Amino acid sequence: MDDILYLVREKKYIIFHCIHKGEYRERGAMTDVYCRLHHERFCYVDRACVVNLKYVSELERDIIRLKNDEQFVELAVSRRMSKFVKNELAKYWGKIW
C-alpha cells in the first residue's frame, strides 16, 4: 500500500501508479479497489482518481500535487470533491504531526 502513489480508472481498468514498481493495471471497479485500501490514507479527488495522502505535498485550488523522491505529479481535483479533499487532507496531516 505504501508503494501506491495514485490510482486512475480508464474504461474497465484501474491503473496503479506505484513508486518502485512503475504502473500496472487491474480489471475492475474503482469502488471495489478503494474498499481494499486503507481509507484513512487514500482519498478520491474525482470519480476516476484516488491519491495516497502520504505523498501529497500541496493542494492549490483545483490541483493536488504528489511528490516523493523519484516523481512529481499534478492531478486535477473536481469541484464536487474539493471540500472533501481539503477535509481529508486536514485530517490526515493532523494525524501525522
Side-chain angles (χ1 to χ4, degrees), residues 9 11 14-15 32 42 81 86 94:
R9 183 186 74 221
K11 297 184 182 177
I14 307 302
I15 301 171
D32 295 338
F42 288 87
M81 298 298 288
K86 287 177 187 173

Side-chain angles (χ1 to χ4, degrees), residues 18 33 56 68 73 79 82:
C18 302
V33 172
V56 174
N68 71 6
V73 179
R79 275 186 272 151
S82 183

Side-chain angles (χ1 to χ4, degrees), residues 24-96:
Y24 68 93
R25 49 180 73 225
E26 176 181 308
R27 189 177 173 108
M30 183 67 89
T31 52
D32 295 338
V33 172
Y34 183 73
C35 286
R36 297 191 324 238
L37 300 171
H38 296 279
H39 295 283
E40 63 275 355
R41 263 211 345 256
F42 288 87
C43 176
Y44 273 96
V45 293
D46 73 20
R47 290 186 321 187
C49 185
V50 172
V51 299
N52 187 337
L53 296 174
K54 177 180 179 179
Y55 298 108
V56 174
S57 62
E58 187 179 349
L59 176 64
E60 184 181 315
R61 300 194 82 174
D62 60 345
I63 300 292
I64 194 163
R65 291 181 180 87
L66 308 175
K67 185 173 121 179
N68 71 6
D69 296 337
E70 301 169 19
Q71 296 178 358
F72 179 79
V73 179
E74 289 186 348
L75 299 168
V77 177
S78 72
R79 275 186 272 151
R80 185 175 68 92
M81 298 298 288
S82 183
K83 189 173 183 176
F84 172 75
V85 171
K86 287 177 187 173
N87 289 337
E88 290 299 302
L89 204 50
K91 267 195 308 194
Y92 181 77
W93 282 346
K95 281 185 179 180
I96 61 171

